[in-house]
Amino acid sequence: MRSLVAGNWKMNGLKAESLELASDLAGRARSGAVCDVLVCPPSTMLSDVGAVISGSGIMLGGQDCHALESGAHTGDVSPVMLADLGCSHAIVGHSERRANHGESDAVVTEKAAAAHKAGLTAIICLGENAAERVEGRAKEIVTLQLHGSLPEGASAANTVIAYEPVWAIGTGNTATPQDVTEIHDHLRGELIRAFGDDGNAVRLLYGGSVNAGNASELLAVDNVNGALVGGASLKPDDFWAIVESGRPD
Ligand code: PEP
């Protein structure tokens, strides 16, 4: 399956540096990208970054979305607004949102459903924390999160799953290829259980301290169909090295 490498810029980047990063990546993408590439800037920069990457093949995504289309929800961004700005994807259920905003699986399901309704592909994030891994509960936790966060109508065409062990995010503690194989094989089985054959076509991304040095071994793991990249997505050389580790088909 063709890889998807997605950059989650998180709450980083003022106008000048965001545009510089976007135009650097767009220049590289215009010469051809090995796999699919997505950038998820902060919502303040979606419009401007969208203009810079337009025509380069790089896709635009939001880092979160509200479950409703509009209304009295100060500070929130709706999936319809993301689509209106040219986004094709929305990340939902990132562990930082689950932790900092108390987002439960039920909330993540509603957000994913709203993203679908707006025509966006939902990137649903899940992953165990350090204590859960030490207790040997990683598979149990990701299974519960997966089935608890998939809305009705989810399919390979509108849903991407990102396995992001919380202990690996922003820590430099990358999961080993063995850890990743074990969880991704398990998630693939669960996706087939949920969707039948279509479960084979759902992209499964790995995220958690992916960098230029470890991307090729992680992206070579069976059932790893790309990466969700945080810190390294802010460094164009590093991010592009990760893109170049992706598979064309
Ligand atoms: C992320 O935020 O989704 C992430 C994986 O971050 P990092 O690559 O910095 O660990």
Side-chain angles (χ1 to χ4, degrees):
M1 193 186 312
R2 187 170 169 85
S3 307
L4 169 66
V5 174
N8 173 14
W9 296 4
K10 310 197 188 192
M11 195 172 70
N12 293 296
L14 300 182
K15 196 165 175 175
E17 62 200 301
S18 298
L19 294 182
E20 196 181 322
L21 174 56
S23 88
D24 184 315
L25 298 176
R28 297 177 200 237
R30 284 197 179 92
S31 316
V34 175
C35 63
D36 291 342
V37 183
L38 169 73
V39 292
C40 302
S43 50
T44 49
M45 289 307 302
L46 279 169
S47 188
D48 288 349
V49 167
V52 170
I53 62 174
S54 174
S56 70
I58 297 180
M59 298 176 287
L60 187 68
Q63 298 177 11
D64 175 51
C65 67
H66 198 274
L68 296 175
E69 289 182 11
S70 62
H73 299 286
T74 304
D76 283 317
V77 175
S78 90
V80 177
M81 292 168 174
L82 295 179
D84 188 43
L85 290 182
C87 289
S88 53
H89 291 69
I91 298 171
V92 294
H94 191 282
S95 63
E96 286 153 14
R97 299 234 26 122
R98 289 179 187 261
N100 301 344
H101 300 266
E103 291 186 7
S104 62
D105 288 344
V107 169
V108 176
T109 304
E110 285 178 8
K111 290 185 170 201
H116 292 161
K117 194 166 167 222
L120 302 173
T121 295
I123 302 180
I124 301 176
C125 302
L126 42 86
E128 81 286 357
N129 65 30
E132 290 159 346
R133 172 149 286 264
V134 170
E135 290 159 10
R137 298 178 58 219
K139 277 191 199 164
E140 175 199 334
I141 297 297
V142 299
T143 306
L144 288 171
Q145 288 181 333
L146 177 71
H147 295 295
S149 308
L150 278 173
E152 216 163 295
S155 70
N158 63 17
T159 303
V160 171
I161 302 297
Y163 169 57
E164 298 208 302
V166 178
W167 49 270
I169 296 180
T171 58
N173 298 326
T174 319
T176 64
Q178 290 72 29
D179 295 333
V180 177
T181 301
E182 198 186 339
I183 299 293
H184 278 236
D185 286 356
H186 175 74
L187 286 170
R188 179 66 69 208
E190 291 300 315
L191 287 167
I192 291 168
R193 205 151 72 79
F195 299 127
D197 260 3
D198 198 39
N200 280 311
V202 177
R203 271 177 168 149
L204 269 170
L205 310 186
Y206 168 75
S209 298
V210 176
N211 59 40
N214 60 26
S216 37
E217 66 172 354
L218 289 165
L219 287 168
V221 171
D222 265 357
N223 283 321
V224 171
N225 313 118
L228 181 52
V229 185
S233 71
L234 299 170
K235 302 174 198 149
D237 287 343
D238 294 30
F239 186 63
W240 211 254
I242 299 169
V243 169
E244 301 214 304
S245 307
R247 297 182 216 192
D249 47 39

